[in-house]
Amino acid sequence: EAASRHYLALAGERALPIDVASAEASFARALELTPADHSERAGMLELWAQAAQQQGRLPEARAALEEALALCREAGATVAAARTLTTLSSVLRNVGDPHSRDLVAEALTLLEAEEPGPELVSAYAELAGIRAVDSDYAEAIAAAERALQLAAGLGVPEPARALGYRGSCRAFLGDAQGLADMRRALALAVEQGMGRDAAVLHNNLALVVWQHEGPPAALELCDDGIDFCERRGIAELALSISAMRLTFLAACGRSEDALVGAQPVAEQAEAAAGDMTLIEARSVQLGLL
């Protein structure tokens, strides 16, 4: 069982950037071999939740992460608890739950009391994402730069997420150089095998290009992003980008195409509990009707 659990988890980790369904199946089997009182249970739950999140199974991912967090707290595993809080914050952000801000704040408090590590880099990158969604661009840039500085000091790979959030916020503030940051971040995420991060960057790059180069260019990037996600099974971001694509179709004057596409996107978002995606799809429908 120990060997099977180890190699199933390893197979899932290798598969996750390129085949989410295969990764989820490996993690699920590993979980079956990990009893409720096993010391590796929390880690297996976190791995499975990452795959479930990317499949768009947000309520299930949330439940698994909450169980993992309780196990980490019970075991006094501070760094693991903080890492789980960061991942859970991302899930809650996607369902529009403002509690995500509290979770990443708690993660940072826990990690700042420990020796700096990759978990602290990830927490600052998540904070940058939250600040960016809140349109608090200066604070988002500061959090992203903190993540980048920490990574450089630790000698770990440059965090594509942080670089991407810094770039998007710079671009929203009118600095076109932010687009170059985002394109480099996307290349980094693909090179590092960070499939979900690359998918998020596809989404965010299209949004920024809309502001700087217009909706036709953004629409083309949406199509690239959806293709990227669908080939890997990242349903969560394929759906988000599809919703944003409706906005760009409407902005291009393709109202009928947008209306035809909006209803299935809205239905999928409702089924996945993806509130932010649902809001975008329904708002496009409302505006056009």
Side-chain angles (χ1 to χ4, degrees):
E1 285 189 356
S4 296
R5 184 167 51 245
H6 171 74
Y7 286 109
L8 283 164
L10 185 59
E13 289 173 343
R14 293 290 178 88
L16 191 60
I18 55 173
D19 187 348
V20 174
S22 174
E24 189 277 334
S26 293
F27 291 144
R29 182 67 182 124
L31 261 178
E32 290 174 3
L33 298 172
T34 311
D37 59 351
H38 197 283
S39 61
E40 295 181 18
R41 177 79 179 176
M44 291 296 175
L45 283 164
E46 185 183 355
L47 288 171
W48 180 85
Q50 290 177 30
Q53 177 186 7
Q54 293 188 40
Q55 289 183 323
R57 298 160 62 182
L58 301 180
E60 294 171 73
R62 177 177 186 168
L65 289 167
E66 287 173 344
E67 181 183 343
L69 180 60
L71 290 170
C72 290
R73 292 192 196 280
E74 184 180 328
T78 302
V79 173
R83 186 183 63 240
T84 306
L85 283 164
T86 302
T87 306
L88 181 56
S89 171
S90 171
V91 172
L92 295 190
R93 181 151 56 93
N94 284 354
V95 299
D97 187 332
H99 190 48
S100 63
R101 295 160 180 77
D102 300 329
L103 298 188
V104 78
E106 183 182 353
L108 284 166
T109 298
L110 291 173
L111 291 168
E112 290 286 8
E114 303 288 329
E115 283 294 317
E119 296 82 5
L120 185 58
V121 174
S122 294
Y124 271 109
E126 175 63 17
L127 178 62
I130 288 172
R131 295 288 184 252
V133 170
D134 290 343
S135 301
D136 193 349
Y137 299 133
E139 290 297 323
I141 290 170
E145 290 185 341
R146 175 65 174 148
L148 291 163
Q149 290 164 4
L150 277 167
L154 291 167
V156 299
E158 187 175 12
R161 288 176 64 218
L163 180 62
Y165 285 131
R166 188 184 74 177
S168 65
C169 292
R170 289 175 66 185
F172 281 131
L173 290 171
D175 182 357
Q177 183 59 35
L179 285 165
D181 274 356
M182 295 188 75
R183 290 190 169 101
R184 189 165 74 84
L186 177 55
L188 267 178
V190 173
E191 178 186 319
Q192 294 169 0
M194 308 298 288
R196 184 180 183 277
D197 289 350
V200 170
L201 281 156
H202 272 290
N203 179 90
N204 294 351
L205 181 59
L207 184 61
V208 170
V209 164
W210 176 39
Q211 303 293 321
H212 282 259
E213 300 175 14
L219 198 57
E220 184 177 342
L221 285 173
C222 280
D223 291 338
D224 291 343
I226 292 167
D227 178 66
F228 177 92
C229 293
E230 288 182 343
R231 283 188 287 113
R232 290 160 175 78
I234 310 175
E236 170 202 12
L237 270 300
L239 186 59
S240 295
I241 298 172
S242 295
M244 184 170 61
R245 185 177 184 274
L246 301 172
T247 296
F248 302 151
L249 282 171
C252 288
R254 294 171 57 183
S255 301
E256 291 301 325
D257 290 340
L259 282 172
V260 167
Q263 187 59 31
V265 169
E267 290 172 357
Q268 290 177 56
E270 282 187 306
D275 290 353
M276 294 179 72
T277 302
L278 178 60
I279 287 168
E280 180 146 27
R282 291 299 191 204
S283 68
V284 170
Q285 286 181 301
L286 176 62
L288 292 176
L289 291 172

